[in-house]
Amino acid sequence: MTEDRVAAPGLLNDVAAIARQAGALIMEIYATDFAVRGKQDASPVTEADERAEKLIVPALRALAPEVPVVAEEAVAAGSVPEVGEWFWLVDPLDGTKEFISRNGEFTVNIALVHRGEPVLGVVFAPALDRLFAGARGQGARVEEAGAVRPIRCREVPEAGLTVVASRSHGDAAALDAFLAGRKVAALANAGSSLKLCLVAAGEADLYPRLGRTMEWDIAAGHAVLAAAGGCVHTMAGAPLHYGKPGFDNPHFVASAKR
């Protein structure tokens, strides 16, 4: 893999096509009376998670055979590849709880990481038919209703911040404490990695995550946000990096300002 390849549109378009294929498969299962099982960490998993991952991983290996793929369900099963300067992070179905509750706010997440930074990402919400994509050197875009348009983080309106929070993993008291003293115009909920993409699209300004996440949950959205001019920092103010032992994230804040 090279940085020139990341900056050219071909790779991002190929990854977007893979995400759409996985999304179509997920929607086939969404329309059925699917079964839900629990993993060792008690989180839910469905046939859609597993079949989407089996589609995505070989497709990424065909695109870049030299780049390891870290995928959620494979890691849960004990298959953890060695990662180097370049690696993929895949969540085949982010927002499984949203999928199970059938609210439509689940996504396919595919990210490419270089030296700890997400440099290319695609987040596809198949039930909403909304695809976000971004890469270093290309900017970010959204594809919806048959149209493609560029997206960019906005300046915070004079009325105040629009803050997005997790629908399934909220901690209201911690959020209130974090927002104390800030001018907040609106507080909205959203599922899965869409929260990062809403900041990237200028539809929100701040996403504080005061709970546990894994790298594959947010890397694709982080890549889109970075390509749109935003950033993700730890609560200590350091840039959030990837390839950490265990792939766990600390608490973080995604915002429109670097």
Side-chain angles (χ1 to χ4, degrees), residues 59-106:
L60 293 178
R61 286 178 176 153
L63 275 184
E66 75 283 9
V67 179
V69 182
V70 178
E72 179 182 15
E73 303 311 327
V75 171
S79 178
V80 184
E82 290 288 330
V83 299
E85 283 199 354
W86 295 93
F87 64 97
W88 297 101
L89 276 167
V90 174
D91 191 338
L93 177 51
D94 181 37
T96 301
K97 291 182 179 179
E98 279 71 33
F99 181 82
I100 293 166
S101 65
R102 299 182 187 272
N103 71 12
E105 293 183 349
F106 50 87

Side-chain angles (χ1 to χ4, degrees), residues 182-200:
R182 300 174 191 259
K183 188 177 182 180
V184 177
L187 181 63
N189 290 313
S192 66
S193 55
L194 288 171
K195 295 179 286 292
L196 290 149
C197 297
L198 295 178
V199 178

Side-chain angles (χ1 to χ4, degrees), residues 72 75 212-219 242 246-249:
E72 179 182 15
V75 171
R212 185 173 186 259
T213 58
M214 304 300 292
E215 292 187 2
W216 47 75
D217 292 325
I218 67 164
Y242 296 80
F247 302 103
D248 296 85
N249 291 320

Side-chain angles (χ1 to χ4, degrees), residues 2 8 14-15 38 40 60-61 89 94-95 108 110 113 151 160-161 163 176 180 194 199-201 206 212 218 256:
T2 65
D14 287 341
V15 174
Q40 286 188 349
L60 293 178
R61 286 178 176 153
L89 276 167
D94 181 37
V108 178
I110 305 174
V113 176
I151 56 175
L161 297 161
V163 180
D176 288 346
L194 288 171
V199 178
L206 195 68
R212 185 173 186 259
I218 67 164

Side-chain angles (χ1 to χ4, degrees), residues 34-47:
F34 55 84
V36 180
R37 304 186 310 281
K39 293 190 286 191
Q40 286 188 349
D41 64 358
S43 62
V45 64
T46 71
E47 179 187 1

